[in-house]
Amino acid sequence: MGGMSAQPQYTIAVRALCEFTAKTGDLDLRFTPSPTAQEGIAGHAVVTARRGDDYQTELALSGDFGPLRVRGRADGYDARANRIEEIKTYRGDLKKMPDNQRQLHWAQVKVYGHLLCQDQGLDKVNLALVYFDIGSQKETVLQETHTAASLQAWFEQQCTLFLQWAQQELAHRAERDAQLKAMRFPHGDFRPGQRQLAEAMYKASKRGVCLLAQAPTGIGKTVGSLFPMLKASAEHGVDKVFFLAAKTSGRQMALDAVEVIRAGAPLLPLRTLEMASKSTACVNPDKACHGDSCPLAKGFYDRLPAARQAALDIMLPPASGSEPESGATLLALDRDTLRAVALAHDVCPYYLSSEMARWCDIVIGDYNYYFDLSAMLHSLTLLNDWKVNVLVDEAHNMVSRARKMYSADMEHAALRLLRKVVPEELKKPLDRVHRQWNQLEKDQTAEYQSHATLPEKFMGALQTAATAIGDYMAEHPSYVDAGLQEFYFNALLFTRLAESFGDHALFDIEKSEGARASHSNSVLCIRNIVPAPFLKPRFESTHTTALFSATLSPWNYFGDMLGMPDTTAWVDVESPFVAEQLSVQVAAHISTRYQHRQQSLRPIAELMGEQYRRQPGNYLAFFSSFDYMEKAANQFAEHYPEVPVWRQSRRMDETERAQFLARFTLDSAGIGFAVLGGSFGEGVDLPGARLIGAFVATLGLPQINPVNEQIRQRMDAIFGAGYDYTYTYPGMQKVVQAAGRVIRTQSDRGTVYLIDDRFGRPEIQQLMPAWWRIESALLRP
């Protein structure tokens, strides 16, 4: 291989190479539910502990073929037996393992066998697949002996199959990086604040540190963060940019931003993918994921290569030197485009999208794709050793979203129903769970109780039941029961979270009397409060993660809660808006505290009526609950019947939300009543006359209830700032987000009323944007 060092090298993991070259036949998820990651690690440890003292584990091996560098870690090598082992943990009946899965395992161990022979100058080697049954703890060993020459031929054959693709990828990367380095900002000039944001992003990538960026709404944050991260990709050797959004609207803004960037650089070969959830992407929700049930799973791997190539071709820019045809758009693989490609090739859209994540430059998706327990983009990053930059949009949502990812709850009523309908073999283990659960309810007198430790007997019963259900499903792959499946996934999540239970979580039981007096119902919850321990390793496996939002202060709250590294940089981007654009009035003569709500209704209505009379137009009025909002809207409508009023209703669907927002036009007038922290308090864009003011009649503080009080105590113990971390900061973020709906552009003008005496306090005003000039709203005659 001498003299080829100038040629760029393409590095691939052994597993990724074999998945590309040796996977054939059906997509088949039947030989699952596979063991959890934790069980898999434990299973490996059991097997390797049974081997001799000179047994080597996690043996790092690598080898080259032309521009390809193939590397990985073999599970184990027994030098005395000259045997290299690939260890796989499983549940259920090994005979039911699909043949194509076995072939893939042989492919991997053969590649390791070749790399070992080459490394140690061996003539031949014994290859073994060790299948370890999690349930019985027994090993099944399949062994073959191969010569170094036959293994070399096998290795070269796999590499040859991949080589053409690797060369296409190397060419794509070289062209992409050259175009990115030459790329200019797509708009003639940066908007005020946008340049500062972009520079902070680029510098963070240059230094390889994380970034918290507080940047006002309306400066073009999406383009202002994607553009520098793409420039950085070429300069800093970054493989991929993941853009993670909290809502569908955020993903759409990212797709639009990519289009703006590509329109300014027509020859840029930028492959962009939008991930959709499995439930959204599934074409046949009534069928199971295997070839005997779903036609899109049958022969999936045989049709995948053509589908994969077609998906890439869609994203190709015109050939260098030729002008793009007028009106030609460079497609991104958004959900609809990807679905169309998948269906044209008769493959499953969801599994095609997880394949395309390997080959795209920008992947746009929800937070959970990188941050939750089974995050696909995170596992791909580790498997392929990618260098990634991650952008987290509207990052003030990260604390509550991450808490949900690492929490689990179970309801007793659901188990009661399930016990009546499950197959005979599962009745006993579920009865044990039920008995232990009854005991927990008996021992608890209060409606709500939090526990410092997990109930050992209950957890033992739950673990046994989960194993029994897993084994049953593996033995009866055609048995499908939605209730059992839901209970099983809940139990698995519960037992996984139990493994890492600690200060960062609470275990609590909430009791409610059931329909029949003899049955009390209860909900058990492992409730994550501080996601930091889970998110820390996620930040560490990125090159840079940049979190941005209009409300990210105080930054130490986010650093603490999310587990940001100590080296994290912080930027507070200057606002392009000036105090003259927004009149911020504090109505300190009104209290919106629970006990004063009834008295507050009349003065709030008068304040709103007065402002509307002075300046008719579109307003939003925010309240802390539907109940308070209804009372305030009724009071207002009674005193000002001439002013149009519309209200947010409970559980609005997307059409109803769109109808609510459609009332805000450039020539309409009236007041929309809404709940703070709901769908209209953030992510809503109503520029110009569409919205000229807002009334915020609440500090947005979470309710004082037993759960939040437990959280407050825990926050006090960990951070010494219980009340602020539990109530003040989350509440004020919602207030500032809601007020941020009023000024969207540099020509906007508007008024915000903050209604409550506490808004007058200096420590509360400190949490408001620095450019606001806050005045006192006294009722003007």
Side-chain angles (χ1 to χ4, degrees), residues 78-96:
D78 184 338
R80 266 186 295 194
N82 186 25
R83 184 168 81 172
I84 194 159
E85 296 186 332
E86 181 75 12
I87 302 165
K88 300 288 180 195
T89 53
Y90 74 96
R91 292 185 168 290
D93 179 0
L94 194 56
K95 291 199 278 295
K96 293 210 168 79

Side-chain angles (χ1 to χ4, degrees), residues 126-346:
N126 297 312
L127 308 180
L129 292 180
V130 180
Y131 290 107
F132 179 74
D133 183 342
I134 291 288
S136 68
Q137 303 269 303
K138 287 200 175 79
E139 294 174 34
T140 304
V141 181
L142 309 178
Q143 187 170 307
E144 293 180 356
T145 305
H146 287 261
T147 64
S150 70
L151 289 174
Q152 181 170 355
W154 165 261
F155 175 74
E156 290 179 354
Q157 183 196 354
Q158 303 315 299
C159 289
T160 306
L161 285 171
F162 185 68
L163 200 56
Q164 191 183 352
W165 185 268
Q167 276 158 339
Q168 170 184 306
E169 290 301 291
L170 284 169
H172 163 74
R173 178 70 176 255
E175 181 62 19
R176 179 200 86 164
D177 287 356
Q179 293 286 346
L180 284 175
K181 282 177 180 165
M183 175 173 75
R184 292 266 161 277
F185 192 67
H187 303 293
D189 206 1
F190 286 94
R191 290 189 208 172
Q194 206 178 26
R195 178 184 292 279
Q196 195 190 350
L197 176 67
E199 279 175 2
M201 293 267 175
Y202 185 84
K203 278 181 188 147
S205 175
K206 190 172 186 176
R207 289 172 45 211
V209 298
C210 290
L211 173 72
L212 279 168
Q214 179 166 278
T217 306
I219 63 165
K221 288 198 283 276
T222 316
V223 172
S225 55
L226 257 174
F227 175 79
M229 282 308 192
L230 288 170
K231 285 294 270 186
S233 298
E235 306 280 352
H236 311 148
V238 171
D239 299 305
K240 302 189 182 288
V241 174
F242 299 151
F243 187 102
L244 308 175
K247 298 193 173 80
T248 315
S249 55
R251 295 207 305 263
Q252 190 51 52
M253 283 168 81
L255 285 164
D256 295 345
V258 171
E259 208 161 296
V260 166
I261 288 168
R262 286 186 65 162
L267 299 179
L268 172 63
L270 201 56
R271 300 171 179 173
T272 307
L273 169 72
E274 180 193 14
M275 303 289 304
S277 69
K278 196 169 182 177
S279 56
T280 315
C282 183
V283 178
N284 300 318
D286 55 327
K287 296 187 168 60
C289 293
H290 57 77
D292 296 340
S293 175
C294 178
L296 298 181
K298 189 152 195 66
F300 175 86
Y301 291 108
D302 306 328
R303 292 191 298 277
L304 179 63
R308 180 168 54 205
Q309 190 61 60
L312 287 192
D313 291 345
I314 271 181
M315 297 182 281
L316 276 178
S320 223
S322 69
E323 279 302 303
E325 294 165 37
S326 70
T329 53
L330 308 165
L331 287 178
L333 279 179
D334 59 26
R335 289 150 123 193
D336 297 340
T337 310
L338 182 106
R339 193 183 181 91
V341 173
L343 295 182
H345 289 81
D346 288 327

